[in-house]
């Protein structure tokens, strides 16, 4: 595993292969110049990759505290991948509607079954 940093560029990965081609030798046969062909593949810890990709399973319950600028529809998109669940989430949390929810409200996003229905 390697970390390559050049200015603001940073790459974490591993060396997949290395090929060398010698192009200049001394009169005694000592190599003086070599061209290297390096192949790298990126590597990221599984937890870090899932966090970066925003992968979260819709079959787990989540409790979130709504912040300024956030909405139930936004969180439905993040968790379920579909904003159409916002009315159901509001009803599940005992709210009369899903619009105009004040920041600081704790919301439970229930798990989904494989059929797209909320489960307990």
């Amino acid at each position: 595993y390697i970390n390559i940093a050049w200015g603001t560029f940073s790459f974490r990965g591993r060396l997949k292969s290395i090929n060398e081609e010698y192009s200049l030798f001394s009169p005694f046969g000592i190599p003086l110049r070599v061209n290297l062909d390096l192949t790298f593949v990126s590597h990221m810890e599984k937890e870090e990759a899932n966090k970066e990709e925003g992968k979260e399973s819709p079959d787990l319950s989540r409790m979130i505290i709504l912040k300024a600028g956030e909405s139930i529809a936004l969180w439905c998109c993040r968790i379920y991948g579909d904003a159409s669940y916002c009315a159901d989430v509001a009803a599940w949390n005992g709210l009369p509607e899903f619009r105009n929810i004040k920041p600081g409200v704790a919301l439970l996003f229930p798990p989904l079954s494989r059929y797209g229905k909320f489960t307990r």
Side-chain angles (χ1 to χ4, degrees), residues 63-85:
M63 177 70 76
I64 62 106
I65 307 241
L66 211 59
K67 296 178 186 160
E70 294 180 340
S71 66
I72 293 178
L74 170 77
W75 278 100
C76 285
C77 282
R78 287 181 181 170
I79 294 171
Y80 305 125
D82 186 354
S84 68
Y85 288 104

Side-chain angles (χ1 to χ4, degrees), residues 11 13 28 39 47 71 91 95 100 102 112:
F11 173 81
F28 304 106
T39 303
E47 295 83 21
S71 66
L95 300 171
N100 303 319
K102 294 189 188 306
L112 286 180

Side-chain angles (χ1 to χ4, degrees), residues 18-97:
I18 183 169
N19 294 313
E20 53 206 33
E21 181 181 325
Y22 295 97
S23 59
L24 183 65
F25 295 88
S26 73
F28 304 106
I30 299 172
L32 299 175
R33 186 177 300 149
V34 64
N35 292 322
L36 297 176
D37 183 22
L38 306 171
T39 303
F40 299 102
V41 292
S42 64
H43 173 76
M44 197 177 292
E45 298 298 327
K46 187 178 257 185
E47 295 83 21
E48 185 181 350
N50 288 342
K51 187 175 183 180
E52 186 172 295
E53 292 178 15
K55 286 187 175 177
E56 293 185 355
S57 176
D59 60 350
L60 299 175
S61 291
R62 285 187 191 67
M63 177 70 76
I64 62 106
I65 307 241
L66 211 59
K67 296 178 186 160
E70 294 180 340
S71 66
I72 293 178
L74 170 77
W75 278 100
C76 285
C77 282
R78 287 181 181 170
I79 294 171
Y80 305 125
D82 186 354
S84 68
Y85 288 104
C86 53
D88 296 324
V89 169
W92 185 272
N93 285 278
L95 300 171
E97 66 172 358

